[in-house]
Amino acid sequence: VCSSAQVDQRPSVVAQISRQIVSMFGGLFGGGGVALQAEQDSTAQPGKKCCISDPLEDINLEQFTELFWKYVKERPAANPAEQGREYSGDRDTGICEEVKFETTGVMAFFADIKASFYFKYSAKGDEFYIDQYAADSTYTKLSAKATLKFLPDSRVELLYEDFGLRKAGPVVKGTLIDDIKKCGYDDVTVESDQDSISIPGEKSAISSALDGELTTEALWSKLKEVRIDAGGEEQADGSIKLAVGGIFATTMYSQIKFDKESDDIISHDYLDDDTYQDCQFIVHTKVVQSPVRVERWSLPKAQVVSNEKFASGEGKKMIDQIIAFKE
C-alpha cells in the first residue's frame, strides 16, 4: 500500500513519460561533442527561429543523408518502455514508423500504458523531415514536425514545431483512470480517443459509467484533497500548486483549479519549470451526466522550440545520434 504522496507521483511521471514519447529526439540517450546555437533565424522557414549546429567535421550533404537514414532505423530507444518498431515505405515516398510502447515493472506502477506512436521520415534535397502523428495510425493529424537543413558550410539547422494538437490518447487515458481510482472508483475503465460529449466534433478520453451521483465540482473536491495530502499547497484563489519527483529524477510542477463558470477542472502543467511561468500543456477534466462519466483531454502549447534548453538538450542529442553513425 502506498502513501498518498507516493501515489500522487503518478501524474508527474506520466507527464515525464509523455514528454519522452512525443519527443522526436532520444530523451535518455545521447552525448557527443556537437554544439547547437539557440534562437537563430531559420533559412528553411524564414520568419521562424531555429537551432543551428557548429560545422560537422568531415561530413558533406551526401554523407549526412546516409547518416540520417541510418538514424531512422538504428537509433537507440528514446525510453526504456520502447518495445520495438515497425516500418513501411521507402526513402522516395517516405518511411512510416510505428513505435510500440509499453510500461513494465516499476514504470507500470506509475503509469500503465500500452500503445503505439507514429512517425514519418522524408527528405528533399538538403532538407530532412520528421513528422510526428502521436497515436494517429492513419498518419493524417500532424502533431509536431522537425525540419533539418544541411547548410553549405556543413552546419545543420534544426527547427522543431509543436502544433498544439488536442490529445486524448493512451497517455491522457492513463492519467484519467489513475485520478478516478484515487477518488474511490476502483472498477472504472477508460477508453481513449472517443467522441467528445462536451465538445462535439472533438476527441476525449472518457470513463465508463460511475455509480451514484457526481458533479465536476464534487470530483474537484476529491482531487483537491488528494493533491493536498501529497504535499500540494493551496493558493489564495483556491488552486493547488504541486511539485513532485519521479522515476526520471526530474521534479515536475503543476497548478490545478476548478473553473465554476465552465464547469471544468483545469490543470496547467509546467513540466520542470519551477517558476510556474512556461506552461507546456493544459489538461481539462469534466463530469458529464446521464450516465455519470468523466471526460478528459489535453492541449499542448503550440510553439516553435528553439531555446537554449532545447539546443543543449533534446536537439543536441538528436544531432549527436545522427553523426554517431559516421564510421
Side-chain angles (χ1 to χ4, degrees):
V1 178
C2 296
S3 68
S4 295
Q6 289 174 309
V7 171
D8 208 64
Q9 288 184 14
R10 296 183 189 182
S12 170
V13 173
V14 170
Q16 295 177 64
I17 291 173
S18 176
R19 193 178 194 183
Q20 299 287 344
I21 295 169
V22 302
S23 171
M24 299 175 185
F25 323 114
L28 298 180
F29 300 86
V34 69
L36 271 66
Q37 306 302 314
E39 305 295 353
Q40 303 296 300
D41 293 329
S42 172
T43 61
Q45 297 186 42
K48 294 182 179 180
K49 293 294 183 180
C50 68
C51 300
I52 298 181
S53 76
D54 288 345
L56 304 185
E57 185 176 354
D58 298 327
I59 296 177
N60 58 29
L61 174 58
E62 182 179 359
Q63 292 168 320
F64 186 82
T65 300
E66 292 305 311
L67 294 175
F68 172 79
W69 287 116
K70 199 164 187 178
Y71 161 85
V72 169
K73 291 191 174 182
E74 297 181 31
R75 70 190 186 281
N79 188 287
E82 184 179 314
Q83 300 298 310
R85 305 168 185 160
E86 292 187 2
Y87 298 93
S88 62
D90 54 37
R91 294 187 185 188
D92 294 333
T93 60
I95 292 180
C96 294
E97 175 189 59
E98 175 188 0
V99 179
K100 298 178 180 180
F101 187 95
E102 182 177 5
T103 53
T104 57
V106 67
M107 288 181 71
F109 167 77
F110 284 104
D112 188 8
I113 299 172
K114 183 178 182 180
S116 291
F117 299 88
Y118 300 88
F119 302 85
K120 185 175 182 179
Y121 303 85
S122 57
K124 183 177 181 181
D126 59 2
E127 293 189 6
F128 306 83
Y129 311 103
I130 305 175
D131 295 339
Q132 179 202 334
Y133 295 91
D136 177 19
S137 62
T138 66
Y139 295 90
T140 55
K141 294 181 179 179
L142 188 60
S143 176
K145 185 182 187 76
T147 300
L148 298 96
K149 183 173 182 179
F150 192 87
L151 302 177
D153 59 2
S154 295
R155 295 182 300 160
V156 176
E157 175 181 320
L158 171 58
L159 191 153
Y160 172 59
E161 187 167 9
D162 189 319
F163 300 111
L165 185 70
R166 177 175 170 134
K167 301 292 195 303
V171 176
V172 176
K173 169 185 172 180
T175 65
L176 179 57
I177 195 168
D178 181 67
D179 274 345
I180 296 175
K181 287 186 174 182
K182 284 186 292 188
C183 291
Y185 299 92
D186 293 331
D187 296 328
V188 70
T189 59
V190 173
E191 297 297 330
S192 59
D193 290 313
Q194 302 298 295
D195 292 335
S196 173
I197 301 168
S198 60
I199 307 179
E202 298 288 355
K203 295 293 184 181
S204 297
I206 300 176
S207 77
S208 55
L210 305 181
D211 293 332
E213 297 180 355
L214 184 69
T215 63
T216 305
E217 188 168 11
L219 179 63
W220 162 243
S221 296
K222 295 174 184 290
L223 287 175
K224 184 176 182 180
E225 182 178 347
V226 171
R227 296 296 194 272
I228 291 174
D229 287 346
E233 297 181 357
E234 186 168 3
Q235 307 300 299
D237 62 357
S239 65
I240 304 295
K241 281 186 174 181
L242 183 64
V244 294
I247 56 176
F248 297 127
T250 301
T251 300
M252 308 290 278
Y253 302 87
S254 63
Q255 185 167 6
I256 187 170
K257 67 178 182 179
F258 173 63
D259 188 313
K260 191 167 186 176
E261 184 176 348
S262 62
D263 190 43
D264 192 358
I265 301 170
I266 304 172
S267 176
H268 289 79
D269 288 286
Y270 301 91
L271 297 182
D272 55 1
D273 174 23
D274 60 0
T275 68
Y276 293 88
Q277 296 296 314
D278 188 16
C279 180
Q280 292 298 303
F281 56 95
I282 301 174
V283 180
H284 295 265
T285 306
K286 298 173 73 77
V287 176
V288 295
Q289 305 297 325
S290 301
V292 174
R293 288 172 289 175
V294 184
E295 177 177 0
R296 174 172 288 178
W297 66 93
S298 173
L299 296 174
K301 179 181 180 180
Q303 60 183 325
V304 172
V305 184
S306 58
N307 56 30
E308 178 59 38
K309 183 177 180 180
F310 178 79
S312 62
E314 292 173 330
K316 168 181 166 56
K317 289 174 183 175
M318 182 190 188
I319 303 299
D320 283 345
Q321 286 184 353
I322 292 175
I323 64 176
F325 288 107
K326 183 176 182 292
E327 296 179 353

